[in-house]
Each structure stands twice: as C-alpha cells, then as structure tokens.
Amino acid sequence: MAEPLSVKRKHEEKEEKNGAAGGFLLSEVSLRRVLRESARDKTIFLHGQVNSASGDGTDAVVILEKTPFQEENISELLKEYTKLQLQMSNDIYSTYHLYVPPELNEIKTTVVYPATEKHLQKYLRQEVYLIRETGEDYKNITLPFIQSQSFSIQWVYNILEKKAEADRIIYENPDPANGFVLIPDFKWNQKQLDDLYLIAICHCRGIKSLRDLTAEHLPLLKNILQEGKEAVVKRFGISGAQLRVYLHYQPSYYHLHVHFTALSYDAPGCSVERAHLLSDVIDHLELDSQYYQKRTLTFALRADEPLLKRFQEAGHL
Ligand code: M7G
C-alpha cells in the first residue's frame, strides 16, 4: 500500500509546484452550467468554458468530488481543526460545522479538456431507458453506430504504449494477444482502499466489447481474472473474494477493459443493467463460444444519446 501512495504524492507535489495539473488552471474556467450533482455521492459535474487568447471558449468538464476519510488522518483532524461551530444542541445530542485545514479536506478534481459534446452528454443528468439488444440488433443498429462514432480512445493507447500514466501501472502481462495492463482507474485517488478501483486494459486491439468475445479470448480473460487478482492482493492486500471484477455493456470506450472494484464499494456503473462479472463471462464462453453474439443484452441509455434514437427509429421503444 505504501508504494503507490508515495509515487502518487511525488507526482502531486510536482504538479503543485507547477501551479497547474498538466498545464490546466482551474481559475481560468468559467462555469456554464451544472451537468449533474449528487448529494449522496458528494459529487458535482460541471460544464465549464476556458477562454482562449482569440476570445472563443473551449468546453471543459470538471468533476468535483469530496473524498472519503483517511483513517490515518483522523487523529490529526481532531486535534488540528481550525474551527468548530455549534449548529444545534439538545440534551445529549449536538451537531457542529467542523472546519479543517485544506490538506485534510481534499476535493478530488477530474478535468476533461477539451471536452466534446459526447463528454458533456455523458455527464448530463437525464432520463434513462432500458434497451434489450438482440444479436441482430447489435449487427444492424449498435455496430454501425459505434463505427460511425469517433469517441477517441487515445488515452487507452497512451497507457498501453507507456506514453501516459506509466508510473501508475500496478501490473503488466506484456503478451500482445493475451496480455494486459492493470492500472488505477482515474475515478480512484488511491488514498484509501474502501473505494479501490482499477482497470485492466488488454493489449490486443480491436476487441470492442463483450459482444466481440468468443472462446478464442478465454486465455486473455482468464489471465486478467487470475493475474489481476494476484496483483491486487500483492499490492493492496485485498483478496480476490473481496473484489468485484466485471465488464460494462455498453462501455463508454470500445477497447476491451475490465473493472476491478472493492466489493464493499458501491461503484458507479456496477448495477445489474451494466455490469457483467468476468467469472460469469468466462463460464458462458466455456459453455458456448458464440454466447455473446447470440444472446440478448440489456442496458440503459440516456434520453438524448444518439444510439437511443437509432433504437427508437427501429421501433424498439
Ligand atoms: P467504461 O465502461 O468504458 O466507461 O470504463 P465509464 O467511464 O462510463 O464507466 C472506462 C473506465 O476507464 C472508467 O472507469 C473510467 O473512469 C476510466 N478512465 C477513463 N479515462 C479517460 C481514463 C484515463 O485517462 N485514465 C485512467 N486511468 N482511467 C480512465
């Protein structure tokens, strides 16, 4: 556990010195609108605009998220707080506003810049609808749609080619066909294990999603499951029995990747209409190589997603 944290801190210190994370200055963002917020998750998704020298604004998505407590900081927090303001008191019960030093009150900030319309849509709160996609629907509706889209997966190639996040890699099996890179998901700040979130990205290119998988991919999938779990127990001390290892269908990025989250963490996107346990996927492919080409898959789409429109046009809703 000590190692990834120290690596992370060094990186953060460097960014702090530069005064900007990757050349991005938050103070240059003007708020256009709130895309979504969640009191439960203590997260807010913002559509911002960064003004260029020429005066025209470029869209950015900024996600602000209050982070979980870190047990090792609690004693310091109780001693070093800056202000404790009484809110109400009744008999043995009282509530307070507690103000603590900024280092103990981090806000995890994720920036997508420049952001495309699709990024804005991804984070915008909308009504959702369930779609039941048959194998034929995939071929006739979803696949042509995916092929017509240009949602860049450059960030994936940057990881695989060590052009980005190379110092964050937890484990790698370099085999071009059956290998993968295991890396912290950018949803995780790596400061506590309660919300552990990693992704395994396969080296092999061209496997878009669950729909493309056949028995031919079993060695790759088994490597991800087994070696990924071993790497997590070795690095973080969390056993395979306490991990949720799954694929999303539909994913946002069409290059095969597998999510590893702490079982006790109610991770975004682990609901039954999106998550497919990797162990179940392996079992299904062992029973029938064409399982994922044949079966009907259910997933939710947001109201203004173009794919929903395609399904509507085909009379599905
Ligand atoms: P997905 O199922 O395609 O889509 O998962 P989702 O984002 O709707 O869940 C892609 C996963 O990759 C997500 O868990 C993202 O948080 C994560 N992710 C996305 N980007 C752009 C990056 C990145 O640049 N670095 C890392 N480490 N993770 C990312």
Side-chain angles (χ1 to χ4, degrees):
M1 182 61 197
E3 206 187 331
L5 294 187
S6 64
V7 170
K8 179 120 207 300
R9 278 200 192 112
K10 251 184 236 152
H11 189 60
E12 284 168 352
E13 276 162 23
K14 197 176 87 203
E15 290 186 344
E16 208 171 287
K17 237 185 253 163
N18 292 345
F24 190 84
L25 274 176
L26 213 49
S27 52
E28 285 177 5
V29 178
S30 45
L31 179 65
R32 288 279 311 274
R33 63 186 160 147
V34 173
L35 295 168
R36 170 160 43 118
E37 66 185 303
S38 161
R40 200 197 69 160
D41 299 336
K42 317 230 171 5
T43 306
I44 191 160
F45 298 77
L46 308 173
H47 174 186
Q49 212 156 45
V50 182
N51 287 321
S52 63
S54 57
D56 46 328
T58 305
D59 289 319
V61 171
V62 178
I63 306 167
L64 303 176
E65 180 185 355
K66 299 210 180 179
T67 52
F69 288 102
Q70 289 167 255
E71 218 175 301
E72 67 267 27
N73 289 340
I74 298 296
S75 305
E76 191 187 345
L77 188 150
L78 295 177
K79 281 196 193 72
E80 304 293 330
Y81 64 84
T82 40
K83 193 160 92 176
L84 183 68
Q85 196 179 359
L86 181 68
Q87 189 182 17
M88 74 92 191
S89 165
N90 182 348
D91 189 34
I92 60 169
Y93 306 99
S94 49
T95 66
Y96 299 86
H97 300 289
L98 174 66
Y99 300 93
V100 297
E103 311 77 66
L104 299 176
N105 201 11
E106 180 200 327
I107 293 182
K108 180 177 189 298
T109 305
T110 307
V111 175
V112 183
Y113 174 73
T116 64
E117 189 52 40
K118 190 148 182 212
H119 289 111
L120 297 173
Q121 254 177 41
K122 176 172 156 74
Y123 295 113
L124 187 65
R125 155 117 35 232
Q126 286 177 42
E127 294 284 319
V128 286
Y129 298 92
L130 273 188
I131 295 291
R132 301 258 304 145
E133 177 201 72
T134 63
E136 283 304 299
D137 293 335
Y138 175 73
K139 276 189 227 143
N140 299 330
I141 305 171
T142 311
L143 182 60
F145 171 76
I146 297 168
Q147 287 164 340
S148 73
Q149 294 293 298
S150 56
F151 202 45
S152 170
I153 47 172
Q154 189 56 45
W155 67 273
V156 170
Y157 298 146
N158 288 346
I159 290 174
L160 295 176
E161 293 165 16
K162 320 287 168 0
K163 290 180 182 159
E165 306 188 48
D167 58 345
R168 288 160 42 91
I169 292 176
I170 303 292
Y171 173 82
E172 177 172 17
N173 173 336
D175 188 273
N178 297 324
F180 66 98
V181 168
L182 183 69
I183 195 160
D185 192 283
F186 80 167
K187 289 194 196 100
W188 186 38
N189 68 4
Q190 286 179 265
K191 290 199 171 158
Q192 58 287 309
L193 297 176
D194 314 57
D195 58 345
L196 175 135
Y197 201 141
L198 306 167
I199 38 168
I201 304 175
C202 71
H203 272 299
C204 171
R205 297 189 184 190
I207 312 173
K208 288 183 285 305
S209 73
L210 192 62
R211 274 285 186 212
D212 284 344
L213 294 176
T214 63
E216 175 202 347
H217 303 110
L218 281 169
L220 165 69
L221 299 174
K222 287 180 179 177
N223 284 349
I224 293 178
L225 187 60
Q226 188 174 331
E227 295 171 26
K229 280 181 181 175
E230 282 165 10
V232 173
V233 80
K234 200 164 162 209
R235 178 66 75 93
F236 302 107
I238 296 190
S239 83
Q242 293 184 300
L243 283 178
R244 188 186 290 110
V245 184
Y246 55 99
L247 293 90
H248 277 162
Y249 193 76
Q250 299 284 334
S252 294
Y253 304 95
Y254 290 90
H255 173 110
L256 194 81
H257 55 274
V258 176
H259 303 251
F260 284 65
T261 61
L263 188 60
S264 54
Y265 173 47
D266 188 13
C270 72
S271 49
V272 289
E273 72 275 21
R274 191 152 192 227
H276 296 255
L277 286 177
L278 179 56
S279 50
D280 287 351
V281 171
I282 290 173
D283 275 357
H284 290 145
L285 292 174
E286 277 177 335
L287 288 169
D288 179 355
S289 173
Q290 302 298 304
Y291 182 87
Y292 287 103
Q293 285 78 59
K294 290 183 201 160
R295 82 160 260 198
T296 296
L297 289 167
T298 303
F299 51 84
L301 289 175
R302 290 184 300 275
D304 77 346
E305 281 191 77
L307 183 57
L308 184 75
K309 200 156 172 250
R310 304 265 180 117
F311 273 91
Q312 279 168 332
E313 283 162 3
H316 274 259
L317 217 75

